[in-house]
Amino acid sequence: MYQIVPVAPGEQQMAGGPGGSPLKKKLSHEGRPLVMASMLGCVLVLAAVVAWCYYSVSLRKTQLFKIALLDLNKDGFIIHNQAGAVVFTMAFRSGTLDVDSCSKEGDILSCTQSDSGKLNFFIQTVRPKDTVICYRVRWEELQNKHLVEHVMAYNDSHWYGGAETATQYWPIRFQGEEEPQPFIASDVYSNRNAFGGILERYWLSSNATAIKINDSVPFHLGWSEKNRTLRFQARYQDSPFRPLERQQTFPELSYRVCVGSDVTSIHKYMVRRYFTKPIKVPSADLFKKPVWSTWAIYKTAVTQEKLLRYAADITRHGFNCSHLELDDRYTADYGEFDFDPQKFPNASGMFDKLREGGFQVTLWTHPFINYDSINFGAAVEKELFVREPGGELPALVRWWNGIGGILDFTNPDAREWYSSNLHMLKSRYGVTSFKFDAGETSYLPRQFSTLGPLSNPSTFTRRYTEMAIPFMEHAELRVGYQSQNISCFFRIIDRDSVWGYELGLKSIIPTVLTIGILGYQFVLPDMIGGNAYPNHTAGGLNGLPDRELYIRWLELSAFMPAMQFSIPPWAYDNEVVKIAQKFTGLHETLVAPKVLELAHVVLDTGDPIIRPLWWIANDDEAAYKIDSQFLIGDDLMVAPVLEPGKQERDIYLPAGRWKSYKGEHYDKGPMYLTDYPVDLDEIAFFTRVL
């Protein structure tokens, strides 16, 4: 119970008097710290609440910016593999995201604002199979901004793909600092800093990552050797790309990044998903027997007499022939289709003689009609040319044989006119097929218009390759963009008669591997020994390529899908003739059957016929850097000599059991064979023993 303590009357008065009581004063002095403590406690509680709220928001945003194995921030994103290692890094160079505008719904992470205004940005996760995860990325500007640029880091990995180039390395080796340039098909023989005539918007890395730029993007590519980055840029300003009619002109950069368990499997997925496949295999003769071209030996001075003598010499020296290719200048002017009567006085009789000798003949053709050709006026009247931007006048273009118009292959009338002339040659003379030269978009005028709108200039290249379809069993193309389904041989651009990586012997394997990764498997590696152009020819006598270079080139070509001669072996001596007979025989009996078997598989898979060593050695770092050896399928490995004055070379054998062409067995791989002896009339090759 409570107890009440009585107070004396004096004490009571003193307590309530004016002077105040000692007790009250005591409580007043002692209560202040309590009030302060209470206030401080409230502040601390409030701070804790604010901190918790901030932490909760930060935690929410941290969770928001993670999607599958991808981490996004305002400046870019990174992708991890299943083991947690970073395999892909992309930075946003042209702008940064406003993170407060971002949200996440399911597998889609989207943002609506950047530091410069409104945009449509998203990353969507797609899991097409257990071993593959893909990310669809899109950055679309919604107000007046001229470009979008993302920058991809190498991440200490090796990259492959992109385009044929004049100086070709495997893996890719970008040199210097290059501002983004239009990624369009160009003639790298005339412009050695351009992208080549065979190209696709696809790259593949040794850490099992692949990127495919969408076809709708006005795509420009640059790079930095110093920063080890590729610059992917979308823009219409100062560019040959044009937005489609009724399409807003703001740029959009969109692409897919896919990550797999290993480089071979992710490439197989990408090829099956994004590349068309050939609809048939070209003529078996092309795989088995050499093509013989008139170009390097006769250039434009070819005549009826020279062609017949050339054919007779092929037979006399004991060689066979898939077809005889009559190259440049059999017509009086460029843009005509019948034979020059001065140089070919009896073309019909010439074809009869060639058929009697067992020769099929193909003819060189191109998309140009020079202004001095009898067909120029007719083509102007029928409106068959690519035209100036106003659409009223034909646009004149300069090419390596003069000035004229270029046929507009988006125009059905131009396609029909061109095709009808080729069919005329076929029916009148029994021509087997055609060598379709040029076709690069670099030969289009700087400003132009076509009947069918071209938002992407490389679509012109695609339309040109379609002209080969009726003749594709023996046809030859040197350009390709989204043309993998054209079932003919694609020839790598002309080679100089030199040893090195710039259009020389060393460039052949990297180029064939590159266009194989891009989905082009029926490869013609140009003429043995190169073009023998003045000032572009190593050594040699009488204008011929160096003898040793010619022999080593011949040996390498024997292990390619097809062989092509122009400078004949008998231009040298009997020993070279014997070496050529040996290797054309080896090509027909050993290489061609295997290549033909793989060619039929290509129709379903798109997998390379000529393969890099990493195809069978995904976990072997050394295999990713080998550029002077290759595989045919999975079990025939070839190691040619590519250096002058050498009769030995170092050879890398991936893990497995291998048997050399000499009968030696190697069971403890991977290993290097140092200074392995290879005589001048040999090429080293090894069969994998299962």
Side-chain angles (χ1 to χ4, degrees):
M1 293 179 64
Y2 293 105
Q3 183 178 10
I4 299 174
V5 179
V7 179
E11 290 176 345
Q12 179 79 28
Q13 183 181 3
M14 186 172 61
S21 73
L23 178 61
K24 184 175 181 179
K25 290 181 179 179
K26 183 178 179 182
L27 289 173
S28 176
H29 287 294
E30 292 178 355
R32 287 174 186 168
L34 293 175
V35 172
M36 294 296 293
S38 299
M39 292 176 63
L40 180 60
C42 291
V43 170
L44 290 174
V45 169
L46 182 61
V49 170
V50 171
W52 175 256
C53 292
Y54 181 80
Y55 172 74
S56 299
V57 171
S58 299
L59 183 62
R60 181 180 63 81
K61 286 188 175 180
T62 302
Q63 293 171 339
L64 168 68
F65 296 150
K66 287 182 177 292
I67 180 169
L69 299 173
L70 180 146
D71 296 342
L72 173 71
N73 61 56
K74 65 184 180 66
D75 298 313
F77 63 89
I78 62 173
I79 300 174
H80 304 264
N81 62 15
Q82 294 289 349
V86 174
V87 294
F88 188 86
T89 303
M90 187 72 87
F92 304 145
R93 181 162 181 164
S94 57
T96 60
L97 295 174
D98 178 354
V99 295
D100 290 328
S101 74
C102 299
S103 61
K104 179 181 176 184
E105 184 174 347
D107 289 331
I108 300 178
L109 202 164
S110 60
C111 308
T112 58
Q113 292 280 337
S114 71
D115 58 346
S116 59
K118 294 182 179 180
L119 83 159
N120 175 19
F121 173 84
F122 72 79
I123 296 178
Q124 180 181 10
T125 305
V126 181
R127 295 180 181 271
K129 53 192 300 188
D130 291 342
T131 58
V132 175
I133 183 169
C134 295
Y135 304 90
R136 293 178 57 220
V137 182
R138 181 180 183 184
W139 183 303
E140 179 187 11
E141 290 292 338
L142 297 180
Q143 53 193 56
N144 194 20
K145 192 168 184 180
H146 297 314
L147 61 87
V148 179
E149 182 175 325
H150 293 179
V151 178
M152 183 189 78
Y154 290 2
N155 279 331
D156 295 323
S157 57
H158 308 291
W159 285 86
Y160 314 92
E164 179 185 22
T165 55
T167 303
Q168 196 93 48
Y169 296 109
W170 179 271
I172 293 170
R173 192 190 309 170
F174 286 110
Q175 297 177 309
E177 309 298 304
E178 186 68 34
E179 288 296 311
Q181 301 297 320
F183 192 71
I184 56 176
S186 302
D187 180 356
V188 293
Y189 197 87
S190 62
N191 180 4
R192 304 203 174 192
N193 295 318
F195 304 111
I198 299 175
L199 82 173
E200 299 292 338
R201 303 170 168 198
Y202 171 69
W203 288 266
L204 175 73
S205 84
S206 57
N207 59 15
T209 307
I211 181 169
K212 176 74 168 60
I213 309 295
N214 286 5
D215 300 331
S216 60
V217 173
F219 181 54
H220 298 66
L221 178 68
W223 57 84
S224 170
E225 180 182 16
K226 177 182 176 182
N227 298 327
R228 292 183 56 78
T229 55
L230 288 181
R231 298 172 60 185
F232 300 138
Q233 189 180 95
R235 76 171 192 262
Y236 291 112
Q237 192 175 61
D238 300 322
S239 169
F241 292 91
R242 296 286 178 267
L244 294 172
E245 293 183 14
R246 297 182 299 279
Q247 177 184 337
Q248 56 87 13
T249 59
F250 304 144
E252 170 200 321
L253 181 58
S254 52
Y255 49 90
R256 287 180 183 242
V257 181
C258 293
V259 181
S261 56
D262 63 79
V263 61
T264 303
S265 64
I266 193 62
H267 177 66
K268 287 183 175 183
Y269 167 76
M270 297 298 285
V271 168
R272 285 154 179 73
R273 175 68 178 82
Y274 295 110
F275 293 163
T276 59
K277 311 298 182 298
I279 58 175
K280 63 183 298 186
V281 175
S283 168
D285 278 352
L286 271 168
F287 293 91
K288 297 175 181 178
K289 305 172 185 177
V291 177
W292 295 81
S293 170
T294 63
W295 174 245
I297 185 172
Y298 296 125
K299 304 295 193 298
T300 59
V302 66
T303 63
Q304 178 174 318
E305 180 185 358
K306 290 176 180 177
L307 183 63
L308 289 171
R309 185 169 65 245
Y310 190 44
D313 285 343
I314 293 169
T315 302
R316 183 166 58 87
H317 286 93
F319 291 95
N320 55 25
C321 176
S322 64
H323 63 255
L324 189 60
E325 189 173 83
L326 176 54
D327 211 286
D328 194 348
R329 204 63 186 194
Y330 58 88
T331 59
D333 293 300
Y334 294 108
E336 298 174 15
F337 292 88
D338 215 340
F339 287 85
D340 180 350
Q342 300 298 317
K343 298 174 74 175
F344 295 85
N346 184 7
S348 295
M350 177 187 72
F351 274 88
D352 289 340
K353 287 184 179 180
L354 290 170
R355 273 191 295 274
E356 289 172 7
F359 288 94
Q360 299 185 83
V361 181
T362 65
L363 298 179
W364 177 74
T365 186
H366 55 84
F368 307 103
I369 301 178
N370 279 9
Y371 70 90
D372 54 357
S373 166
I374 58 173
N375 284 328
F376 186 82
V380 170
E381 183 178 348
K382 295 177 180 179
E383 300 183 340
L384 305 182
F385 287 132
V386 171
R387 305 177 76 75
E388 292 184 344
E392 296 180 1
L393 297 174
L396 293 181
V397 300
R398 182 182 296 277
W399 62 298
W400 67 88
N401 277 328
I403 298 174
I406 184 168
L407 292 169
D408 178 4
F409 292 105
T410 73
N411 182 347
D413 291 340
R415 295 165 67 91
E416 174 58 31
W417 182 84
Y418 182 69
S419 181
S420 65
N421 278 287
L422 299 185
H423 281 288
M424 176 275 294
L425 288 166
K426 189 173 177 65
S427 61
R428 180 177 296 178
Y429 299 108
V431 172
T432 297
S433 190
F434 298 91
K435 172 185 176 177
F436 291 85
D437 212 357
E440 296 90 349
T441 60
S442 56
Y443 287 110
L444 292 170
R446 189 174 183 83
Q447 298 292 329
F448 66 91
S449 65
T450 51
L451 185 65
L454 290 178
S455 60
N456 178 356
S458 290
T459 303
F460 178 86
T461 293
R462 162 69 196 183
R463 295 291 169 261
Y464 180 59
T465 62
E466 291 168 353
M467 302 309 300
I469 291 175
F471 315 100
M472 59 190 179
E473 282 201 351
H474 284 81
E476 171 188 325
L477 284 160
R478 82 172 197 185
V479 292
Y481 175 71
Q482 299 180 353
S483 305
Q484 296 92 341
N485 65 316
I486 311 295
S487 299
C488 65
F489 270 81
F490 288 81
R491 175 177 63 88
I492 65 177
I493 195 67
D494 303 50
R495 303 287 116 171
D496 290 329
S497 301
V498 296
W499 289 91
Y501 284 101
E502 184 178 336
L503 297 177
L505 178 60
K506 284 186 179 179
S507 72
I508 292 177
I509 295 173
T511 304
V512 172
L513 290 174
T514 296
I515 66 174
I517 288 297
L518 301 180
Y520 298 89
Q521 312 307 344
F522 307 141
V523 183
L524 190 62
D526 202 48
M527 292 166 283
I528 292 166
N531 280 297
Y533 290 140
N535 303 321
H536 292 280
T537 299
L541 300 173
N542 303 317
L544 294 173
D546 176 74
R547 181 178 183 272
E548 182 187 7
L549 173 67
Y550 182 88
I551 292 171
R552 293 306 192 189
W553 206 308
L554 161 67
E555 292 164 354
L556 169 58
S557 293
F559 284 82
M560 288 288 156
M563 300 179 71
Q564 186 178 39
F565 284 101
S566 185
I567 297 167
W570 53 89
Y572 292 91
D573 51 51
N574 286 335
E575 183 184 8
V576 176
V577 171
K578 290 180 180 178
I579 293 172
Q581 290 170 339
K582 170 184 174 180
F583 279 95
T584 53
L586 189 64
H587 176 83
E588 185 169 356
T589 57
L590 173 67
V591 178
K594 185 166 186 61
V595 169
L596 270 169
E597 180 182 346
L598 292 165
H600 284 89
V601 177
V602 168
L603 306 185
D604 295 323
T605 67
D607 291 346
I609 293 173
I610 304 299
R611 300 174 180 175
L613 264 60
W614 53 251
W615 194 266
I616 60 168
N618 300 142
D619 56 353
D620 188 341
E621 175 63 21
Y624 287 112
K625 296 178 284 188
I626 300 291
D627 68 349
S628 62
Q629 300 173 217
F630 59 93
L631 295 163
I632 303 175
D634 286 347
D635 52 16
L636 179 59
M637 195 268 288
V638 186
V641 173
L642 305 175
E643 299 277 354
K646 299 287 187 181
Q647 295 200 26
E648 70 282 322
R649 63 156 293 167
D650 294 344
I651 296 173
Y652 185 73
L653 293 179
R657 301 174 60 201
W658 296 91
K659 179 181 178 182
S660 79
Y661 68 107
K662 299 176 182 179
E664 304 147 322
H665 287 268
Y666 301 92
D667 296 334
K668 295 181 180 180
M671 68 173 67
Y672 280 100
L673 306 179
T674 304
D675 293 333
Y676 187 85
V678 187
D679 291 342
L680 183 61
D681 65 344
E682 292 181 322
I683 185 171
F685 61 93
F686 299 77
T687 303
R688 190 163 66 153
V689 181
L690 300 177

